[in-house]
Amino acid sequence: MEIIYYNCLESTQKKLINLVREGKVSSNCAIVAKKQTSGIGSRNNSWQALEGDLLFSFAIKKDDLPSDLPISSASIYFAFLMKEILNSYSQDCWLKWPNDIYIKNKKCGGVVTQLLKGYYIVGIGINLVKRENDFAFCSIKKSVKEMLPSYFMLLKKSLKWQEVFSKYKLEFENNNEFLTTINGRKIAIKSATLSSDGALIVDNERIYSLR
């Protein structure tokens, strides 16, 4: 995985999407920024980052990922792997369905994913700097350049979706006190059933998580 570092970008996700659209990406690669001025969060919301946070996006060929990975649950897959790396640094993070990383009841990061020209383009933002607002942060004594290879090494193992899902469903009950937004409406996650493909089943309707 080639990793390219920038001091400041509007958004690592926007930068990488444009490169893929323009045909300038021919292999798996990642873009990292020390600072973002207009980060992208779930449902195209803005993501307010601070200099010193972990801010990166990567493009990985769909064919380089497990064949059993549901496209609709890619965000769960990539976010769960990030959560595992954070917890390897003595953090206590968990994954709120489908793509938010939490410490206790406060968000500390998130993942956005889209499929474009045969690549998954994945944006990840993790708070590493203490906030004064209602967000958590990960207190990690490793630099971004030390952390990223660990994530990409785990990604390279190409863990099967069912292996990741079997671990995720064990902690899914952490979601029970939370709501999720589906098509503009709030849904209590505790009223839903988690399907083996990562979808939520609410009132016999399957709700998928690609965002």
Side-chain angles (χ1 to χ4, degrees):
M1 178 78 70
E2 179 186 10
I3 303 176
I4 305 167
Y5 292 88
Y6 291 86
N7 283 325
C8 183
L9 288 174
E10 179 183 358
S11 160
T12 61
Q13 189 77 343
K14 290 177 183 177
K15 175 75 172 179
L16 196 49
I17 288 170
N18 288 337
L19 290 175
V20 171
R21 282 178 174 159
E22 293 166 5
K24 295 180 179 178
V25 173
S26 58
S27 60
N28 299 340
C29 65
I31 287 177
V32 187
K34 288 184 179 179
K35 183 179 179 181
Q36 283 189 152
T37 58
S38 184
I40 299 174
S42 298
R43 302 181 301 279
N44 288 319
N45 291 326
S46 63
W47 176 259
Q48 301 298 322
L50 299 178
E51 187 168 352
D53 288 340
L54 177 58
L55 308 167
F56 71 105
S57 294
F58 63 92
I60 185 167
K61 293 177 182 177
K62 182 177 181 291
D63 291 343
D64 289 343
L65 291 163
S67 58
D68 70 336
L69 175 61
I71 293 175
S72 57
S73 292
S75 287
I76 294 175
Y77 183 85
F78 297 120
F80 189 86
L81 296 186
M82 187 74 249
K83 186 231 33 161
E84 294 285 88
I85 294 300
L86 294 173
N87 286 351
S88 75
Y89 296 122
S90 300
Q91 304 302 297
D92 189 19
C93 299
W94 61 277
L95 178 59
K96 177 179 175 287
W97 190 93
N99 62 337
D100 291 331
I101 297 174
Y102 271 61
I103 296 175
K104 295 183 179 179
N105 65 343
K106 293 185 177 182
K107 183 176 176 177
C108 68
V111 175
V112 292
T113 305
Q114 65 176 279
L115 188 59
L116 179 65
K117 292 190 172 182
Y119 286 91
Y120 280 108
I121 304 176
V122 184
I124 298 181
I126 304 295
N127 297 342
L128 299 180
V129 179
K130 187 175 181 180
R131 263 66 177 166
E132 298 300 329
N133 54 22
D134 199 32
F135 287 90
F137 77 104
C138 294
S139 179
I140 296 175
K141 304 303 180 185
K142 296 278 187 180
S143 70
V144 167
K145 288 188 176 182
E146 290 175 303
M147 293 173 63
L148 281 178
S150 298
Y151 181 75
F152 290 128
M153 284 177 63
L154 182 57
L155 186 63
K156 191 175 181 180
K157 290 182 178 180
S158 200
L159 299 176
K160 295 293 187 183
W161 160 253
Q162 282 303 320
E163 182 178 351
V164 170
F165 177 78
S166 65
K167 294 178 181 178
Y168 176 56
K169 69 180 181 180
L170 293 176
E171 63 180 51
F172 184 72
E173 65 181 20
N174 290 326
N175 285 268
N176 285 346
E177 300 303 315
F178 289 85
L179 304 175
T180 190
T181 302
I182 305 295
N183 296 326
R185 61 192 177 108
K186 298 287 188 181
I187 294 174
I189 299 179
K190 67 180 178 181
S191 67
T193 301
L194 181 66
S195 175
S196 62
D197 65 354
L200 291 186
I201 301 175
V202 181
D203 296 331
N204 295 317
E205 177 185 359
R206 298 181 77 84
I207 300 169
Y208 291 96
S209 63
L210 184 62
R211 29 172 102 174

